[in-house]
Amino acid sequence: MSRSVLVLIITIFVLLLVVVRIGGELGAEGGLSRERMSLLSFKEGVVSDPEHALQSWGTNGGHWNHVCNWTGIECNSRRNHVVQIDLGGRSLRGTISPALSNLTFLLVLDLSNNFFTGRIPLELGSLFRLKELSFSTNMLEGDIPAELSFLHQLVYLNLGSNRLKGKIPESLLCNGSSLFDYIDLSNNSLEGEIPLRNHCGLTELRFLLLWSNRLLGNIPSALSNSTKLQWLDLESNFLNGDLPSEIVSKMPYLQFLYLSDNNFGNCSRRGNANLELFFSSLVNCSNLQELEFSGNSLVGELPPFIGNLSTKLKQINLAENLIHGSIPPTISNLFNLTLLNLSSNLLNGSIPSQISRMVNLERVFFSNNSLYGEIPSAFGNIPRLGLLDLSNNKFSGAIPDSLSNLSQLRRLLLNGNQLSGTIPPSLGKCTNLEILDLSHNKISGVFPSEVAELRSLKLYLNLSSNLLRGPIPLELSKMDMVLAIDLSMNNFSGTIPPQLGTCIALEYLNLSSNLLQGPLPTQIGNLNYLRALDVSSNQLTGELPEFLQSSSTLRKLNISFNDFLGTVPNVGIFTSLTLDSVQGNPGLCGLIHGMQLCRKDGTIIDAKSCWFSSCCSHCPCCVSSGILYF
């Protein structure tokens, strides 16, 4: 072959490469041009972009910015097609344009955490390559388009926290993608049954979240095909029937099971057998971490083999059911529990002392049951305990001194029991305590100064309805973050400490039904956030302080059944009071309906000597400018 022929062949080959390359670039540019127009159509539907996320979607100096450089846009390696749109959390407002359906190479579409309204475009069903679709936390309305079932490559679907309604399309779960790993339709207004039939095989599904909808009927047995399920959340619906024992027994990877606030107990006649069978099936869930089925009116007892559940369990919430019987000591085998909620049931018996083995407990709710006996001192051996709620039971005996060991304790609620003895001064060591409620017991003695000076109290202190006596400790003034103090219905005596005026965050103060004497301190007027004040049924004296009428925050006031004297003003809080709030003070007079009337000098008119006729000149008292004069 001659040299000239070889050069000619090489030249032709190079020209062919150039032509192919130019053709490819033109084709790519043509594809991107169409995709650019579709994205601009989407932009036109956005009416608010406060973070300027779409500012780069356009021209710069008269030249188009390359689509692949637009904010939230990602292209493939050849930069010839848009494969991802991620505009999540950009505060965008508007509607979702159907033009996005032209982006047929799209793999990810994320518009979550914005303010999009309107319907989900059914045209999106043509995005046959799509793997991830997230429109969660918007304000989208209407039905879920059945056309989404055409997305056979879809792995992740999140439409949660919108305003969607109607039924879940059966085709979405049965004829749609068999690759589903994650489905979230929660926090909408979806209704009807969960349309999962026996032939449906979501075998790859690991997350199914349908909570807070209006779904009804049984949990479909076909869900047992999803043996890889890790997270099942169906709470806050209207589901009924038996607990899904046969379903969960086939889910060895299950970690989170939420069935609270449904109707499982109302339609089941199996009672305790149903509850025992369910716990028995859960034994197979060796990875279970959180279990909640509160608010279902379930009947039965806690079986002893509850202690055979996964040792990985961290939270159990069985509140608001009809569970009776005692708390099995074997529950202490679940030593990794951080939350145990058995409140609002029909439990009786005593708390097993073995509870001290549950050293990781942080929150314990046993309130509103019929538990009795003494409060176990073993609670003091649970170092991380931050909340202990034993309220409204039948506990008796003294408050254990061992509770002072709980350095992390933030909320202690022992109200509504039959506790006696005194308040342990050692509770003052619980320096992280934010709520202390010992009300409605039979606790006697004085209010320990060590407890009164707990500056950590941020929410409320309630010692009402006990047998406490002695003066209100001055140390109470150190609670400068507390919002409410209730010492009512005790036998506190002495005067109201003026130092209470330094509890600057206080909104509610109730000192009623005690033996307090002296005046109402003017320093209480320093409480700039005070909304409710009740000092009724004491032995308080003197005139009403001026701050009561000038306070701009005070909404409720009760000064009845004391020995206050003088004129009740007709301004401020007093214009809305009724006789109930001021009665029982013989020395008070004023314009509140039913009260004794006042002379011009502020003394009380004898009502028997005051009569009215059509002519004021013939009356011993006259009305002038809304004030009664003698």
Side-chain angles (χ1 to χ4, degrees):
M1 182 181 296
S2 66
R3 181 186 179 99
S4 59
V5 173
L6 182 61
V7 171
L8 179 61
I9 292 173
I10 293 174
T11 302
I12 293 172
F13 181 73
V14 170
L15 289 173
L16 286 174
L17 288 177
V18 171
V19 170
V20 169
R21 182 175 179 181
I22 292 174
E25 289 179 352
L26 289 174
E29 180 59 30
L32 271 183
S33 177
R34 290 190 297 271
E35 294 179 3
R36 180 176 62 198
M37 296 305 296
S38 297
L39 290 172
L40 291 175
S41 294
F42 166 78
K43 182 181 179 181
E44 289 179 0
V46 176
V47 297
S48 176
D49 180 14
E51 298 180 13
H52 307 292
L54 306 184
Q55 190 172 22
S56 63
W57 288 32
T59 59
N60 184 10
H63 299 284
W64 281 102
N65 290 323
H66 197 285
V67 172
C68 300
N69 296 330
W70 291 2
T71 301
I73 301 300
E74 183 176 319
C75 297
N76 57 6
S77 58
R78 296 177 62 187
R79 293 171 66 86
N80 61 346
H81 288 294
V82 175
V83 295
Q84 177 171 309
I85 301 175
D86 184 358
L87 293 170
R90 299 285 187 163
S91 301
L92 300 173
R93 295 179 183 272
T95 57
I96 300 175
S97 172
L100 291 179
S101 62
N102 296 324
L103 306 172
T104 54
F105 285 83
L106 203 61
L107 301 178
V108 176
L109 176 56
D110 186 352
L111 302 178
S112 61
N113 295 289
N114 285 291
F115 301 96
F116 285 105
T117 57
R119 291 176 171 267
I120 298 173
L122 55 87
E123 291 85 354
L124 297 182
S126 64
L127 298 174
F128 61 93
R129 291 184 175 91
L130 199 65
K131 293 184 177 181
E132 298 183 22
L133 176 61
S134 181
F135 291 162
S136 65
T137 317
N138 280 283
M139 297 183 288
L140 298 171
E141 301 173 336
D143 299 338
I144 297 175
E147 286 76 6
L148 296 185
S149 61
F150 299 151
L151 306 176
H152 293 294
Q153 302 300 313
L154 206 58
V155 175
Y156 182 97
L157 175 64
N158 193 344
L159 306 178
S161 299
N162 279 284
R163 299 173 180 175
L164 301 174
K165 60 181 182 179
K167 296 182 178 181
I168 300 173
E170 181 176 337
S171 59
L172 181 64
L173 301 184
C174 290
N175 300 321
S177 174
S178 61
L179 304 176
F180 269 128
D181 173 83
Y182 187 104
I183 297 176
D184 185 351
L185 308 178
S186 62
N187 198 23
N188 281 288
S189 297
L190 301 173
E191 56 192 28
E193 298 183 350
I194 302 173
L196 197 61
R197 309 307 175 201
N198 290 331
H199 67 279
C200 307
L202 297 175
T203 56
E204 301 300 316
L205 193 63
R206 293 189 302 143
F207 300 86
L208 179 60
L209 292 82
L210 303 177
W211 54 271
S212 193
N213 278 289
R214 300 174 182 174
L215 302 173
L216 46 79
N218 297 339
I219 297 177
S221 59
L223 196 58
S224 61
N225 296 329
S226 303
T227 56
K228 296 181 181 179
L229 208 62
Q230 297 178 14
W231 193 312
L232 178 59
D233 193 342
L234 306 177
E235 70 179 15
S236 299
N237 280 286
F238 299 98
L239 300 171
N240 54 36
D242 289 336
L243 289 168
S245 303
E246 296 181 1
I247 296 174
V248 299
S249 66
K250 299 177 182 178
M251 297 178 177
Y253 302 104
L254 194 62
Q255 297 179 30
F256 304 94
L257 178 59
Y258 304 113
L259 303 176
S260 297
D261 299 313
N262 279 285
N263 296 320
F264 292 117
N266 291 336
C267 297
S268 175
R269 300 180 180 179
R270 301 173 64 182
N272 194 60
N274 184 30
L275 197 59
E276 286 193 5
L277 184 61
F278 184 60
F279 277 110
S280 178
S281 66
L282 288 173
V283 173
N284 296 327
C285 302
S286 58
N287 291 289
L288 197 60
Q289 296 183 31
E290 296 186 12
L291 171 64
E292 296 188 6
F293 56 88
S294 63
N296 275 291
S297 301
L298 293 166
V299 177
E301 298 185 17
L302 297 177
F305 52 82
I306 191 174
N308 297 335
L309 297 182
S310 169
T311 54
K312 296 179 182 179
L313 262 172
K314 294 183 178 180
Q315 296 190 17
I316 292 182
N317 185 354
L318 312 180
E320 297 180 37
N321 283 292
L322 300 173
I323 301 173
H324 58 269
S326 58
I327 300 173
T330 53
I331 201 171
S332 62
N333 294 342
L334 307 177
F335 52 84
N336 279 316
L337 276 184
T338 61
L339 180 146
L340 178 58
N341 191 344
L342 303 177
S343 62
S344 299
N345 278 286
L346 303 174
L347 294 170
N348 53 36
S350 58
I351 298 175
S353 60
Q354 291 90 335
I355 199 168
S356 62
R357 295 174 53 193
M358 307 173 77
V359 293
N360 292 304
L361 275 175
E362 297 175 0
R363 291 173 290 169
V364 174
F365 300 86
F366 288 169
S367 61
N368 298 302
N369 280 286
S370 297
L371 299 169
Y372 55 79
E374 296 187 353
I375 297 174
S377 60
F379 276 119
N381 299 325
I382 305 176
R384 300 180 182 178
L385 197 60
L387 185 151
L388 179 59
D389 187 355
L390 306 179
S391 61
N392 298 313
N393 279 284
K394 299 178 180 179
F395 291 112
S396 58
I399 300 172
D401 190 69
S402 62
L403 296 183
S404 62
N405 299 332
L406 304 176
S407 59
Q408 303 300 313
L409 193 63
R410 284 174 168 77
R411 301 188 179 191
L412 179 60
L413 298 97
L414 306 179
N415 51 292
N417 282 287
Q418 301 170 14
L419 299 173
S420 57
T422 60
I423 300 174
S426 59
L427 282 182
K429 297 179 182 179
C430 299
T431 54
N432 286 304
L433 206 59
E434 297 175 352
I435 292 177
L436 177 60
D437 193 341
L438 307 178
S439 63
H440 296 275
N441 280 289
K442 300 176 181 178
I443 301 172
S444 57
V446 298
F447 184 177
S449 59
E450 295 88 343
V451 179
E453 61 183 5
L454 278 171
R455 300 191 63 172
S456 59
L457 282 177
K458 296 179 181 179
L459 297 176
Y460 66 85
L461 167 70
N462 193 346
L463 305 180
S464 65
S465 299
N466 277 290
L467 303 173
L468 297 169
R469 56 178 173 78
I472 297 175
L474 299 179
E475 289 81 0
L476 197 61
S477 62
K478 296 182 180 180
M479 293 187 183
D480 53 2
M481 295 186 292
V482 71
L483 299 181
I485 295 177
D486 191 345
L487 305 180
S488 63
M489 300 189 72
N490 280 285
N491 295 313
F492 287 112
S493 57
T495 59
I496 298 175
Q499 291 85 348
L500 286 180
T502 62
C503 299
I504 55 175
L506 202 61
E507 297 180 5
Y508 176 92
L509 178 60
N510 191 346
L511 304 176
S512 65
S513 299
N514 280 287
L515 303 173
L516 299 171
Q517 300 176 332
L520 182 60
T522 57
Q523 289 85 347
I524 301 296
N526 296 332
L527 303 176
N528 293 327
Y529 301 101
L530 193 65
R531 299 177 60 85
L533 175 63
D534 191 346
V535 294
S536 63
S537 299
N538 280 286
Q539 301 168 15
L540 301 175
T541 57
E543 296 186 352
L544 300 178
E546 190 275 337
F547 78 82
L548 293 177
Q549 57 182 300
S550 60
S551 172
S552 61
T553 60
L554 201 59
R555 296 292 180 269
K556 294 182 179 181
L557 174 65
N558 193 342
I559 57 174
S560 62
F561 297 102
N562 281 284
D563 291 314
F564 290 115
L565 53 85
T567 302
V568 175
N570 192 31
V571 293
I573 182 67
F574 293 99
T575 60
S576 60
L577 293 185
T578 61
L579 184 63
D580 292 341
S581 300
V582 296
Q583 65 181 332
N585 288 278
L588 286 180
C589 59
L591 289 177
I592 295 176
H593 181 71
M595 281 194 72
Q596 303 175 102
L597 307 177
C598 298
R599 292 187 176 90
K600 188 174 182 179
D601 60 5
T603 58
I604 300 172
I605 295 176
D606 181 2
K608 294 182 179 179
S609 65
C610 183
W611 55 275
F612 297 92
S613 70
S614 58
C615 178
C616 186
S617 61
H618 297 144
C619 304
C621 52
C622 297
V623 179
S624 175
S625 300
I627 300 178
L628 290 167
Y629 294 115
F630 180 70

